[in-house]
Amino acid sequence: MRTALLQSSGRPGSVDENIKVLDDAAGRAAAAGAGLLVAPEMFLTGYAIGDDIARLAEPADGASADTITAIAARHGVAVAYGYPERDGERVYNSVQLVTADGPLANYRKTHLFGCFERDHFTPGDQPPVQADLGGLRVGLMICYDVEFPENVRAHALAGTDLLLVPTAQMHPFQFVAESVVPVRAFENQMYVAYVNRAGQEGEFEFVGLSVLAGPDGVARTRAGRGEELVVADADPVLLAASREANPYLKDRRPGLYGSLV
């Protein structure tokens, strides 16, 4: 499945402007033959917007979900986007995957990073969230979540083929995009689409470097440091061959790892 990664911080604080950016990117992704567009963490509203996070938070089935469903239908591209999700008095750092038929899967970030996130969000507690799309089993995760090897392995054991990781990766942690993500893809035998924000936003400097890493640990595409749309394929044939050649999941000995949990 051809996958487009939208590396952008959009227009922090403006949902309407960010939806326009998403609409334009969906059109360009479709023109490049992509069936899936992935946007960064908190793309709908912006990340470093303080108390506006709570003000702009929406339910998973809110007005923006309807608008993005219409974008997906118009361009024929599934869209995964980060947003602040309101559920009663609680606000979650979430990612939603929508198609022309509406929302397909919604995930709440389980591992919150730093005081900023812990001050503004409630951690999610869902097991691996997945959906079937384009012949692949697609999993959802957000930023810091991917830095926990047990978390990604849980997806591998649940059969995830392509893991979508909207992120807000900041300086000086660019080694995560450069090194950790390709290793996660290899050791779990899956594709990982790690899609970052870019540039200065409030106190944070986002480092870009979005990547679609393959099960061989090789970057199929990688963005630079600025705003960019990059496209690459998640190939199920290559994935099957790689899993046969690198049978990590078959060779596991779970009885030895009980102390981990």
Side-chain angles (χ1 to χ4, degrees), residues 23-172:
D23 190 8
D24 175 74
R28 289 187 285 141
L36 171 64
L37 170 67
V38 187
E41 181 177 3
M42 290 287 288
F43 184 77
L44 186 65
T45 60
Y47 182 90
I49 59 173
D51 291 340
D52 280 349
I53 289 173
R55 182 179 66 83
L56 296 174
E58 298 185 20
D61 60 354
S64 292
D66 291 341
T67 301
I68 295 170
T69 294
I71 290 172
R74 182 163 57 252
H75 298 293
V77 177
V79 179
Y81 64 98
Y83 75 109
E85 178 192 353
R86 178 168 294 284
D87 185 358
E89 294 300 311
R90 295 182 176 182
V91 175
Y92 297 92
N93 184 339
S94 296
V95 54
Q96 182 145 250
L97 175 63
V98 303
T99 69
D101 297 322
L104 191 60
N106 189 76
Y107 169 78
R108 296 167 173 174
K109 188 174 186 178
T110 53
H111 298 78
L112 300 181
F113 179 78
C115 295
F116 178 83
E117 291 192 5
R118 289 192 288 269
D119 286 345
H120 289 93
F121 300 109
T122 297
D125 57 6
Q126 301 156 296
V129 172
Q130 300 169 304
D132 292 326
L133 180 71
L136 296 173
R137 178 151 293 182
V138 175
L140 301 177
M141 193 174 279
I142 300 174
C143 198
Y144 193 39
D145 289 331
V146 82
E147 297 177 39
F148 293 81
E150 307 92 334
N151 211 22
V152 185
R153 179 52 55 88
H155 267 277
L157 293 173
T160 293
D161 299 315
L162 170 60
L163 184 62
L164 310 184
V165 190
T167 189
Q169 184 65 67
M170 56 198 70
H171 178 81

Side-chain angles (χ1 to χ4, degrees), residues 161-186:
D161 299 315
L162 170 60
L163 184 62
L164 310 184
V165 190
T167 189
Q169 184 65 67
M170 56 198 70
H171 178 81
F173 304 110
Q174 49 266 34
F175 65 88
V176 175
E178 293 170 337
S179 301
V180 173
V181 169
V183 169
R184 288 287 178 271
F186 178 67

Side-chain angles (χ1 to χ4, degrees), residues 161 189 191 215 235-246:
D161 299 315
Q189 287 300 294
Y191 286 92
D235 182 355
V237 174
L238 184 148
L239 180 60
S242 183
R243 286 173 172 172
E244 185 66 26
N246 302 285

Side-chain angles (χ1 to χ4, degrees), residues 181-204:
V181 169
V183 169
R184 288 287 178 271
F186 178 67
E187 68 191 4
N188 290 289
Q189 287 300 294
M190 61 173 63
Y191 286 92
V192 179
Y194 187 80
V195 187
N196 201 10
R197 306 178 70 83
Q200 194 75 32
E201 187 180 332
E203 63 184 288
F204 305 113

